[in-house]
Amino acid sequence: MLTEQESQQRVFRLQAGLKEKGLSGALFIFPIDVYYFTGTRQNSTLWIPVEGAPMLLVRKSLSRARGESPLADIRPFPSSKEFPSLFGEGEMKIGMTFDVIPVQQLNYYTKLLPGHQIVDISPLNREVRSVKSEFEVEQLRYSGSVLCSVFHQVPQFLNAGMRELDLAAEFEYRLRKAGNEGYVRMRAFNQELYGGLAVSAGGASYGFFDGAVTGKGLSNASPHGASVEVIRENEPILLDYTGVFNGYVTDMTRIFVIGQLDPELQHAFDASLSIQEAIRQAMKPGAVCEDLFAMSVKMAEEAGLGSAFMGMPGEQAKFVGHGVGLELDEYPVLAQGFKVPLVSGQTIAVEPKFVLPGKGAIGIENTFSVSDNGGIKLTDMPDKIVFL
């Protein structure tokens, strides 16, 4: 549960950014942003002035919001006539997160606040949220430990002849029993994810999702994740799953093989481990995100696998790592064009993977925390291939 001190620290960091940009305050309506600052995901609008205490306006459930959040000022959402009076007199410059607000909602609040200027604070909000407190890192560490415990169980139920869907169902059943919340929240428009995927060689070369491996899915309406392809011997089986506990998302991938592995796939796996370790060592404050991505691309090319790195040839993902927290696609991103330095406390899922047409997908993924000593692994399980 979010403490008053933790909430205040988050608010203070945002207020410092608002002051620097000359804003009067920030108005949040996106649920996960509201949750980050307040500790409740109830249907609410949050006002954080550049100075002073936040105010949470709740549509439903007011009683639950008051029981869950440490904020002092929690009140019912007012009528349209009363709403402007909450912001005082004079013109204000108000920040909102344009990256997630529908135009209809932006128009609604623009009409509610005539005479005030509404501007985008999406980058500021994402930067604030990207740096995790010790409390948040511990939430992610717990999420990672439970996720690892389910990965350890895979040899108990993985068999040749079962479908990808059967494997996924067995994994997800155990993960759910362990308390997984299932909500894999994503900020990017048009992206959706069903918690993870189980992919064999037959289903590795499909997908719309912005990732290296997406799976074939079950229909044209759901072209992502496990399919009805049958799992065979001597082929890589890739499980890429998220754990979501107390809202915090960790992300990891492990490879399983029933029998033997093609030497070319083993070579690709070894390359993925080398890339991950090089990135882990470099994950220190000040390291520039796009430099880490460029390093990974160079290493893949030197291994003779450049065309297979991070996806099918011609359909490769343009990143090798992504921030995680309350959402799966937080800042920072280890990608070309992301010219920002890492900051201590950021948490990143690093996922160097390869897709070899006709042979399957292979690679590794772990969630790390940025520190002065490099990346600290939060999904603490051996990276090696599990042979059955």
Side-chain angles (χ1 to χ4, degrees), residues 27 29 45-47 55 57 59 76-88 94 96 108-114 116:
L27 197 63
I29 66 172
T45 294
L46 173 66
W47 167 245
M55 174 174 55
L57 309 172
R59 289 187 169 91
F77 195 94
S79 67
S80 298
K81 291 182 178 180
E82 296 172 326
F83 190 86
S85 65
L86 300 176
F87 297 83
I94 297 172
M96 295 188 76
Y108 170 74
Y109 281 94
T110 299
K111 291 178 181 178
L112 280 184
L113 296 167
H116 299 302

Side-chain angles (χ1 to χ4, degrees), residues 67-188:
E68 293 174 344
S69 175
L71 266 60
D73 191 354
I74 302 176
R75 60 181 81 177
F77 195 94
S79 67
S80 298
K81 291 182 178 180
E82 296 172 326
F83 190 86
S85 65
L86 300 176
F87 297 83
E89 302 293 331
E91 182 179 346
M92 302 178 71
K93 193 174 182 181
I94 297 172
M96 295 188 76
T97 51
F98 289 8
D99 60 337
V100 289
I101 296 177
V103 173
Q104 184 270 340
Q105 286 292 304
L106 180 60
N107 290 340
Y108 170 74
Y109 281 94
T110 299
K111 291 178 181 178
L112 280 184
L113 296 167
H116 299 302
Q117 182 183 1
I118 297 180
V119 300
D120 185 25
I121 58 164
S122 303
L124 170 62
N125 177 55
R126 298 193 72 176
E127 288 165 10
V128 167
R129 285 185 45 195
S130 77
V131 180
K132 307 301 188 289
S133 65
E134 291 183 10
F135 168 83
E136 291 185 282
V137 172
E138 284 307 308
Q139 297 299 310
L140 287 158
R141 195 185 305 278
Y142 174 76
S143 175
S145 68
V146 180
L147 182 57
C148 286
S149 73
V150 178
F151 268 96
H152 278 297
Q153 299 174 42
V154 172
Q156 300 173 20
F157 53 84
L158 173 57
N159 295 290
M162 69 190 312
R163 303 173 301 172
E164 292 177 353
L165 182 61
D166 300 323
L167 175 59
E170 291 286 350
F171 190 97
E172 291 160 17
Y173 165 75
R174 287 163 174 78
L175 190 59
R176 183 63 168 166
K177 288 272 285 184
N180 187 53
E181 293 161 7
Y183 293 103
V184 186
R185 296 181 169 99
M186 298 188 67
R187 207 166 188 89

